[in-house]
Amino acid sequence: MNTVITLANRPEGRPEISDFNFETEEKPIPDDGEVLLETKYVSVDPYMRGRMSDAESYVAPFELGEPIEGGIVAKVVESEKEDLIEGDYVSGRLDWKEYQVSDGEELRKVDPEVAPLSAYLGILGMTGLTAYIGLTEIGKSEEGETLVVSGAAGAVGSVVGQIGKIQGCRVIGIAGSDEKVELLKSKFGFDDGINYKTTDDMGAAIAEVCPDGVDIYFDNVAGEISDGVHQHINRFGRIINCGAIAHYNATSVPTGPRVEPMLIKKSALMKGFIVGNYEEKFREAVKQLAQWLGEGKLEYSETIVEGFDNIPQTFLDLFDGKNKGKMLVKV
Ligand code: NDP
């Protein structure tokens, strides 16, 4: 038999374990032109919270009673398809199932000899692409500029900061514990960091660590953290709205200081960013990330939880900051 995780309820506010169902079905058999895949690594990502709600977005909501879908690395265990053989590994958007069949059309073949399989869901997958493309296409950093990154110790943030260092920026990270701030400096080479959970006045904290103001703000969280950073944006500053995890579980639209006067006074750019809109850049981005990895210029962290049954809880743990770097489940 085959275990499948489906959406049981559309959560109001913070999702709970009861919003997921475990169901069983017969293990599928591949048809002509299909492969049978065995799930190996599952990526849990904050954006999936949006898909649990029935709201219009850039990606369709999950259907009630249907499998949850996300980034997965899987092994081909049976193949009726010409270009994939038993033992190959693939990554792509797949269902939260132990086994599934696929026509393989949307899947990318990945090589465990080139990089560990988990890396294809992180630094060499959506995470790395988001960091690289968001920073280079919108941030357009120049040597000597100050880059502030929120959600800095997470999957995307930890890579953004390192790319900023490679590009010659002074890099400040904002994260949710002293341990994470220490990691930013010791492992990822950030120049300084702020623990937002022990900081009452984010504006004052930014002023202290960014005496020359903020040229680029890579925003993964939004909310009050960003209100503090926005006060210190420099003239011609660039703000990359990559994520808004501080709002994902909100049941009403949160309000805060209006940013328009700041954007005008500072001639600043604030741009919403979805990595999927930059597909034509993916090849170049992966090549560059792989090169930096090979040269030892990029480090990455992973928080890997074992066991298919732990996928929903691991997803929920993102909202408590239990991960450092990319959060994954190894099946
Ligand atoms: P992370 O690895 O950063 O995990 C989420 C982290 O967010 C947690 O570890 C936690 O760290 C922090 N967090 C949780 N709740 C809050 C809160 N209320 N306020 C502030 N921080 C919080 O996730 P990713 O790197 O995968 O994603 C980062 C952001 O980028 C997300 O918002 C995601 O939706 C977005 N994203 C956007 C993409 C795009 O194309 N636009 C693509 C990929 C991701 P801490 O301990 O520091 O609180």
Side-chain angles (χ1 to χ4, degrees), residues 41 89 94 139 201 207 219 243 247 263 281 287 293 295 301 319:
Y41 284 94
Y89 288 93
L94 290 163
D201 184 343
D219 187 7
H247 294 185
L263 293 173
K281 301 276 170 198
K287 192 170 162 218
L293 262 182
E295 293 168 355
S301 276
F319 298 96

Side-chain angles (χ1 to χ4, degrees), residues 46 130 154-156 176 180 196 220 242-243 245 248 273-275 318 321 323:
T130 302
V156 172
K180 287 187 178 184
Y196 73 89
N220 285 311
C242 175
I245 195 166
Y248 289 172
F273 167 71
I274 295 294
V275 67
L318 286 169
N323 59 310

Side-chain angles (χ1 to χ4, degrees), residues 21-290:
N21 251 346
F22 283 82
E23 298 179 20
T24 49
E25 61 175 23
E26 293 223 355
K27 199 163 140 186
I29 298 165
D31 268 341
D32 238 16
E34 290 184 335
V35 284
L36 176 66
L37 300 173
E38 183 184 22
T39 298
K40 290 294 179 191
Y41 284 94
V42 177
S43 174
V44 291
D45 294 273
Y47 82 88
M48 300 173 89
R49 170 64 185 87
R51 297 193 70 189
M52 296 175 82
S53 299
D54 192 11
E56 195 192 327
S57 186
Y58 60 95
V59 52
F62 297 130
E63 296 291 336
L64 275 177
E66 293 297 319
I68 306 283
E69 171 197 77
I72 282 179
V73 165
K75 184 177 183 179
V76 176
V77 288
E78 270 179 61
S79 180
E80 301 296 335
K81 188 174 163 56
E82 263 179 21
D83 51 351
L84 286 173
I85 57 166
E86 212 181 298
D88 279 347
Y89 288 93
V90 290
S91 92
R93 201 185 276 181
L94 290 163
D95 290 340
W96 283 6
K97 294 181 172 190
E98 287 175 303
Y99 293 90
Q100 59 200 294
V101 290
S102 164
D103 63 10
E105 292 306 319
E106 302 285 313
L107 303 179
R108 170 166 74 123
K109 206 165 147 181
V110 295
D111 187 349
E113 302 289 324
V114 172
L117 288 173
S118 56
Y120 294 102
L121 294 174
I123 187 94
L124 296 177
M126 184 177 72
T127 296
L129 292 172
T130 302
Y132 178 84
I133 296 171
L135 190 59
T136 52
E137 292 294 311
I138 304 170
K140 297 189 188 305
S141 62
E142 287 182 20
E143 200 164 339
E145 287 192 317
T146 299
L147 163 68
V148 171
V149 187
S150 58
V156 172
S158 57
V159 181
V160 170
Q162 294 180 81
I163 298 174
K165 287 307 298 177
I166 292 171
Q167 295 178 337
C169 293
R170 183 161 179 275
V171 180
I172 309 299
I174 304 170
S177 71
D178 289 344
E179 195 192 346
K180 287 187 178 184
V181 168
E182 192 44 46
L183 183 78
L184 294 180
K185 294 192 272 187
S186 60
K187 177 159 183 168
F188 299 122
F190 284 54
D191 295 286
D192 216 334
I194 298 169
N195 174 356
Y196 73 89
K197 287 192 179 156
T198 54
T199 303
D200 296 332
D201 184 343
M202 184 54 65
I206 291 287
E208 199 179 319
V209 292
C210 303
D212 298 326
V214 178
D215 299 299
I216 308 164
Y217 175 38
F218 196 107
D219 187 7
N220 285 311
V221 305
E224 289 172 14
I225 292 173
S226 298
D227 295 340
V229 182
H230 291 160
Q231 297 168 26
H232 299 284
I233 294 291
N234 284 337
R235 198 153 173 256
F236 301 124
R238 286 84 71 203
I239 300 165
I240 302 133
N241 284 131
C242 175
I245 195 166
H247 294 185
Y248 289 172
N249 295 325
T251 48
S252 58
V253 180
T255 55
R258 308 291 174 185
V259 290
E260 296 89 336
M262 175 277 289
L263 293 173
I264 297 167
K265 278 190 255 175
K266 298 297 172 65
S267 300
L269 170 78
M270 186 180 212
K271 185 161 165 47
F273 167 71
I274 295 294
V275 67
N277 295 337
Y278 292 80
E279 235 180 297
E280 75 285 358
K281 301 276 170 198
F282 285 5
R283 188 181 288 266
E284 165 208 321
V286 169
K287 192 170 162 218
Q288 180 62 83
L289 290 163

